[in-house]
Amino acid sequence: MSDIAEERKKKLARAQDILEYRFENPSILLAAITHPSATEGKPVKFSYERLEFLGDSILGAIVANEAFHAYPELDEGGLTRIKVALVSGTSLASVAERLGFADVIVFGSSERGTGRRGLHSALENVYEAVVAALFLDSGIEAAQAFVSRTLIPKMSLDMAKEPENPKSALQEKLQEEGITPTYKLVETQGPPHDRTFISQVFAGMKALASGMGRTKKEAESQAAKAALDKFDFGTDKDAKAKAKAEKNRAKAEARAQAKAEKEAQAQARAEAKAAEKAARKAQG
């Protein structure tokens, strides 16, 4: 057995000890702890990238369910702040490091000797990927048990009162105007093991601001922060007036888009109805 294979075998065994769970399909867990730098030239399924995508959604649902039942007195805003705080990159990386995930991540040669530049984001990504791996191997109960043991103990009512994550703060600001912000990844720079992401935040069809980060989440957070700085925190009358005008313009554009979509749908229904009527007349 090669040194690389032996190293991965040991890390896989250690990861299962950390998780307190034995996998029916260990290859899923191996992928979950494998950094993209260790799979260059191989299909994406051999690293944590795809699992991270699935795990993010599963983790969000588990945390939302826990918060919903733990704090029945909280409104949507408070529950959102708790969820955002718990699933933030900093929170997940901290929990993953405390569990010992830094010692089980399989890095490629390009990451060795560099101080593991992406260790923080790797820890966050591996935590999410592990949640997905547990879900795929044994169902939601296994994923929920892991999250409940490792992450949920950090949850507290105080999180509902803490300064908000820029994304949730922007969402609350814009929803006052009936707008829900959306995010779009517009550019990815660098090699797979050392990527930089650039995202834009939109209100309707209007781009508000852009942000850059080592992860997609960080890029979105920076975009939201830039939007807040641009539109919400003017210090003089002119700046505040400009911010208000920009918000009103974004609101008008969002409403215009919704109206146009509604009219298009109505037109399509009318055309379909007319075509059906003509067909019946032709048959008659």
Side-chain angles (χ1 to χ4, degrees), residues 2-9 112:
S2 68
D3 291 341
I4 293 177
E6 181 63 27
E7 178 192 23
R8 294 187 179 187
K9 182 179 178 181
R112 293 173 183 171

Side-chain angles (χ1 to χ4, degrees), residues 137-154:
D137 195 68
S138 188
I140 191 63
E141 293 82 6
Q144 193 162 11
F146 170 68
V147 175
S148 295
R149 176 172 65 86
T150 61
L151 183 63
I152 298 303
K154 293 186 61 172

Side-chain angles (χ1 to χ4, degrees), residues 29 59 119 179 183 189 196 209 212 214 216 232:
L29 177 59
L59 179 61
L119 180 58
I179 303 171
Y183 296 84
Q189 301 174 348
T196 297
M212 179 183 298
R214 294 299 299 274
K216 295 174 185 177
D232 291 315

Side-chain angles (χ1 to χ4, degrees), residues 84-215:
V84 168
L86 270 184
V87 303
S88 69
T90 300
S91 173
L92 297 184
S94 173
V95 171
E97 185 171 24
R98 178 172 51 80
L99 289 170
F101 278 7
D103 296 326
V104 302
I105 300 176
V106 178
F107 286 98
S109 58
S110 60
E111 284 291 305
R112 293 173 183 171
T114 64
R116 294 179 182 176
R117 293 161 293 179
L119 180 58
H120 182 278
S121 61
L123 286 167
E124 171 194 353
N125 296 338
V126 166
Y127 187 96
E128 292 176 335
V130 163
V131 171
L134 288 165
F135 172 78
L136 292 172
D137 195 68
S138 188
I140 191 63
E141 293 82 6
Q144 193 162 11
F146 170 68
V147 175
S148 295
R149 176 172 65 86
T150 61
L151 183 63
I152 298 303
K154 293 186 61 172
M155 186 170 68
S156 72
L157 189 58
D158 289 340
M159 289 181 172
K161 304 173 185 177
E162 290 179 357
E164 298 165 2
N165 173 281
K167 288 180 66 175
S168 60
L170 180 63
Q171 180 168 324
E172 288 194 11
K173 291 285 186 182
L174 291 180
Q175 283 185 340
E176 292 175 1
E177 309 294 334
I179 303 171
T180 298
T182 57
Y183 296 84
K184 180 180 180 181
L185 179 66
V186 295
E187 188 177 350
T188 302
Q189 301 174 348
H193 62 277
D194 190 20
R195 285 177 173 165
T196 297
F197 300 92
I198 300 175
S199 293
Q200 281 187 315
V201 57
F202 291 80
M205 297 295 290
K206 180 179 177 60
L208 300 180
S210 62
M212 179 183 298
R214 294 299 299 274
T215 66

